[in-house]
Amino acid sequence: MKTIKALLVLLLTIVAAASVNAQKLHPLRKLQLAEMAISQLYVDTVNQQKLVEDAIRGMLKELDPHSLYSTAKETKALNEPLNGSFDGIGVQFNMVEDTLLIIQPVSKGPSEKVGILAGDRIITVADTAISGVKMERSEIMRRLRGPRGSKIKLGIKRRGVDELLYFDVTRAKIPVYSVDAYYMIRPRVGYIRIGSFGATTYAEFMKAVDTLQTQGMRDLIIDLQENGGGYLQAAVKIIEEFLQKNDLIVYTEGRAQRRMEYRATGNGRLTKGKVYVLVNEYSASAAEILAGAMQDQDRGTIIGRRSFGKGLVQRPIDFEDGSMIRLTIAHYYTPSGRCIQKPYAKGDQEDYAMDIEKRFKHGELYSADSIHFADSLKYQTLRRHRTVYGGGGIMPDVFVPLDTTQFTLLHRQIAARSLIVNATLRYVDQHRQGLKSRYTAFDDFYSNYTVPQSMTDSIFAEAERLKLKGYSKEECDKTLPMLKVQLKALIARDIWDMNEYYRIMNEQNRIVQKAVEIATK
């Protein structure tokens, strides 16, 4: 008996010693000792919080391009557009010559309720000047936002009124919309543009569907151009409306995560009619899941250019201070088994970030013939057994090349310098009442309004003064047609809303027009 006890004691001693040695050798112990040494012995004072955050960022940097760390402030900013609302005063605004100009108060929002109007300028917030003091836009936003129910005093300058007007605004919940526009683009053909996928996207989408169906919609164009993704569940719920019960939508799989499938539950309201999904090189993540499911299930025609190729699943890991890690745990796969994620080298963020630039240089954005897929990347759609390709992103069924003649070098230069937006803001500010009196309906504006030459002349004069690259009389002539369209669309946006902006711009959007051409054959 004593011998057995002695052996047990010896065994426990060996195990304990091994455990201590294992702890000493554990990488986390090394990291902890390094942080302690720096914080206690380093020659200068250090910020321990920043030390830890930098260490976390350093670890994540060596992984994939989409695993990231965000501080509490950054996390709140990241989540806000997806949550569907924030607390604030309820205005759309832009900065004009260091002054906050209100484009539109949110309908039925707190600012509209107290009488603040489009065209008003906010000069002071809580008796502190924000105009003419070179205050950062983020700081202005911080002052305007605050807890729901709290009050803020605004000093307003209104055209035609000499003295400042003061309004006490009670902050409230302000909706953030992810459906940018919806309207009947042609008889029996509806159009819905989804800017991102958030908490309210499905409800917004179905509201748009209801409206368009009452207007005679039979077929539908879903525009996902520049849609960077968002909540997976929002995209899944929309896809379900088009598929039959048990149809596979997407599945995820990773080293530590078993295969997880998302399937349609049935009772979809949009199982009839043709569907056209529009994507381009900036359509990513949830947008690619929607496009991939519609393509693999042979439910929709994908039109545009190869999508971005972001198919990594991130799990949020929240810390007590409000900060967060978004850690990649799996890949997204389309119903046919295609991996959406494009190839990347771990730790090489720069090469990954340059992928779109490489597509420009290789000619992929200009010609489908420039895109070559290996036989190993061939897949079959599930119903009609059409050939589709993996290897990153969703390759459209109908390729639409990028048109380099639409936006000239000069156009890109003046847009980058905000000359177009600023000229629009000044023009609408001066002519708002006259425009609203003359054009009581958008259709009248669309058919009869012409951008004045003085407006385009002033933009070109400023471009000449700034000595912008590519400026010449010939370049101005080439730039003018698209510039006028953009100016007209921006004016419509400021008088009405984004819906009217897209109604004008879409008539020049080649991907949209290709969808219209196919839908109306």
Side-chain angles (χ1 to χ4, degrees), residues 169-444:
V169 180
T170 302
R171 296 184 180 97
K173 182 178 179 180
I174 309 300
V176 177
Y177 297 110
S178 52
V179 171
D180 294 332
Y182 61 93
Y183 62 96
M184 293 298 292
I185 196 165
R186 294 293 186 273
R188 297 187 299 278
V189 182
Y191 168 91
I192 301 177
R193 180 182 173 92
I194 305 174
S196 62
F197 290 95
T200 62
T201 304
Y202 173 73
E204 292 176 49
F205 179 82
M206 294 312 295
K207 179 184 176 183
V209 166
D210 289 339
T211 301
L212 296 178
Q213 285 182 335
T214 63
Q215 297 173 6
M217 180 181 74
R218 183 185 64 189
D219 302 328
L220 175 61
I221 296 171
I222 303 175
D223 192 348
L224 301 180
Q225 294 178 84
E226 286 86 43
N227 182 318
Y231 288 155
L232 167 65
Q233 198 57 45
V236 167
K237 289 182 72 174
I238 289 173
I239 298 165
E240 283 188 296
E241 294 292 335
F242 296 91
L243 301 182
Q244 303 295 330
K245 188 172 182 178
N246 287 326
D247 282 349
L248 182 60
I249 295 171
V250 67
Y251 68 91
T252 63
E253 198 167 15
R255 178 184 63 84
Q257 180 177 300
R258 291 181 298 176
R259 174 166 167 152
M260 181 181 294
E261 295 184 348
Y262 296 81
R263 291 183 177 272
T265 56
N267 303 315
R269 290 176 46 197
L270 297 166
T271 56
K272 307 292 184 183
K274 294 177 181 177
V275 186
Y276 307 91
V277 181
L278 315 186
V279 296
N280 65 5
E281 55 276 10
Y282 299 109
S283 306
S285 191
E288 296 176 286
I289 289 169
L290 191 153
M294 298 292 275
Q295 187 177 52
D296 281 5
Q297 294 289 358
D298 290 299
R299 182 62 188 92
T301 302
I302 314 303
I303 302 173
R305 293 183 290 277
R306 182 164 68 98
S307 61
F308 183 84
K310 196 273 185 185
L312 297 174
V313 184
Q314 279 78 48
R315 173 180 290 171
I317 299 170
D318 299 315
F319 296 107
E320 292 180 354
D321 64 352
S323 61
M324 177 181 71
I325 285 177
R326 289 175 58 83
L327 185 67
T328 296
I329 60 167
H331 286 88
Y332 285 118
Y333 296 88
T334 69
S336 68
R338 291 181 288 166
C339 180
I340 293 173
Q341 179 61 42
K342 61 189 176 184
Y344 61 89
K346 287 185 178 180
D348 195 342
Q349 304 277 2
E350 185 176 349
D351 181 71
Y352 188 80
M354 293 298 290
D355 178 65
I356 300 296
E357 185 67 24
K358 289 178 183 176
R359 296 192 200 184
F360 275 102
K361 291 179 179 178
H362 294 162
E364 175 185 328
L365 302 181
Y366 311 112
S367 172
D369 295 335
S370 299
I371 308 168
H372 303 287
F373 296 101
D375 287 343
S376 61
L377 298 176
K378 284 185 179 180
Y379 293 79
Q380 300 293 312
T381 62
L382 303 185
R383 284 178 168 76
R384 294 167 53 194
H385 307 293
R386 297 179 300 115
T387 298
V388 288
Y389 293 93
I394 303 299
M395 186 65 189
D397 302 306
V398 179
F399 180 83
V400 180
L402 185 69
D403 181 13
T404 57
T405 64
Q406 266 193 319
F407 293 96
T408 64
L409 174 61
L410 179 60
H411 194 135
R412 294 195 295 273
Q413 290 279 309
I414 61 179
R417 295 293 188 98
S418 299
L419 301 188
I420 300 172
V421 171
N422 289 338
T424 305
L425 292 170
R426 287 192 295 268
Y427 175 80
V428 174
D429 186 41
Q430 295 169 7
H431 300 93
R432 186 183 304 275
Q433 294 307 317
L435 288 167
K436 284 188 171 183
S437 298
R438 168 65 183 83
Y439 301 103
T440 55
F442 171 73
D443 287 342
D444 183 21

Side-chain angles (χ1 to χ4, degrees), residues 30-272:
K30 189 175 183 180
L31 185 65
Q32 185 182 34
L33 288 171
E35 191 278 331
M36 289 172 62
I38 294 169
S39 60
Q40 294 179 24
L41 302 175
Y42 186 63
V43 62
D44 297 319
T45 303
V46 294
N47 183 326
Q48 283 185 276
Q49 179 76 15
K50 189 174 184 303
L51 271 182
V52 172
E53 289 180 348
D54 288 346
I56 294 172
R57 287 194 173 98
M59 286 189 287
L60 294 175
K61 185 179 179 182
E62 296 305 312
L63 303 179
D64 65 276
H66 297 292
S67 290
L68 60 86
Y69 169 81
S70 55
T71 64
K73 185 177 179 181
E74 290 166 343
T75 299
K76 185 178 179 182
L78 284 169
N79 289 335
E80 206 166 64
L82 301 177
N83 289 337
S85 65
F86 64 89
D87 296 336
I89 65 170
V91 294
Q92 296 177 32
F93 72 91
N94 215 321
M95 299 301 294
V96 180
E97 297 170 356
D98 201 26
T99 299
L100 189 152
L101 174 66
I102 296 174
I103 306 300
Q104 285 182 349
V106 173
S107 178
K108 299 179 183 178
S111 290
E112 185 185 70
K113 286 179 180 178
V114 298
I116 292 175
L117 305 174
D120 285 350
R121 291 162 168 78
I122 300 180
I123 305 300
T124 63
V125 177
D127 294 324
T128 299
I130 65 167
S131 175
V133 293
K134 304 293 183 185
M135 186 177 289
E136 292 287 337
R137 187 186 179 107
S138 59
E139 176 61 19
I140 293 173
M141 294 288 288
R142 187 190 69 79
R143 291 171 182 268
L144 292 176
R145 294 184 179 182
R148 193 179 314 174
S150 61
K151 288 192 174 183
I152 188 73
K153 180 182 177 184
L154 302 180
I156 298 289
K157 183 73 177 74
R158 180 169 294 169
R159 182 173 287 276
V161 179
D162 293 334
E163 69 275 9
L164 278 185
L165 304 175
Y166 291 96
F167 296 88
D168 290 321
V169 180
T170 302
R171 296 184 180 97
K173 182 178 179 180
I174 309 300
V176 177
Y177 297 110
S178 52
V179 171
D180 294 332
Y182 61 93
Y183 62 96
M184 293 298 292
I185 196 165
R186 294 293 186 273
R188 297 187 299 278
V189 182
Y191 168 91
I192 301 177
R193 180 182 173 92
I194 305 174
S196 62
F197 290 95
T200 62
T201 304
Y202 173 73
E204 292 176 49
F205 179 82
M206 294 312 295
K207 179 184 176 183
V209 166
D210 289 339
T211 301
L212 296 178
Q213 285 182 335
T214 63
Q215 297 173 6
M217 180 181 74
R218 183 185 64 189
D219 302 328
L220 175 61
I221 296 171
I222 303 175
D223 192 348
L224 301 180
Q225 294 178 84
E226 286 86 43
N227 182 318
Y231 288 155
L232 167 65
Q233 198 57 45
V236 167
K237 289 182 72 174
I238 289 173
I239 298 165
E240 283 188 296
E241 294 292 335
F242 296 91
L243 301 182
Q244 303 295 330
K245 188 172 182 178
N246 287 326
D247 282 349
L248 182 60
I249 295 171
V250 67
Y251 68 91
T252 63
E253 198 167 15
R255 178 184 63 84
Q257 180 177 300
R258 291 181 298 176
R259 174 166 167 152
M260 181 181 294
E261 295 184 348
Y262 296 81
R263 291 183 177 272
T265 56
N267 303 315
R269 290 176 46 197
L270 297 166
T271 56
K272 307 292 184 183

